[in-house]
Amino acid sequence: MFEYELQQIRSAELIREAQNHRLAKEAASGRRAARRAAALRSAHDGTDERAHRNRLRRHWFARAV
């Protein structure tokens, strides 16, 4: 009987973990969709929320002359 209860507890924990994982994936995909929609809106409006990306890229290390 004790083993059955342990198995029930483990099963319930696995189900909870799977549900949490699904919720996290859903939230992440929702955030990605919101970012894509915002990028499309800003591209359509002509405004760029990430204007710093248009700057020239600086090198991380100094160049040897």
Side-chain angles (χ1 to χ4, degrees), residues 8-63:
Q8 291 293 96
I9 292 170
R10 288 185 192 121
S11 177
E13 181 63 27
L14 285 174
I15 291 169
R16 278 193 297 274
E17 284 182 20
Q19 181 65 22
N20 286 340
H21 184 69
R22 279 192 293 273
L23 287 173
K25 282 179 66 173
E26 184 179 328
S29 67
R31 287 192 298 266
R32 281 193 300 273
R35 279 196 300 270
R36 280 194 302 269
L40 285 173
R41 276 195 309 272
S42 67
H44 185 267
D45 295 344
T47 60
D48 191 4
E49 295 175 359
R50 298 181 180 181
H52 67 276
R53 289 196 176 188
N54 293 333
R55 294 186 211 152
L56 293 176
R57 181 179 173 274
R58 272 196 306 170
H59 294 281
W60 288 0
F61 302 105
R63 291 183 177 179

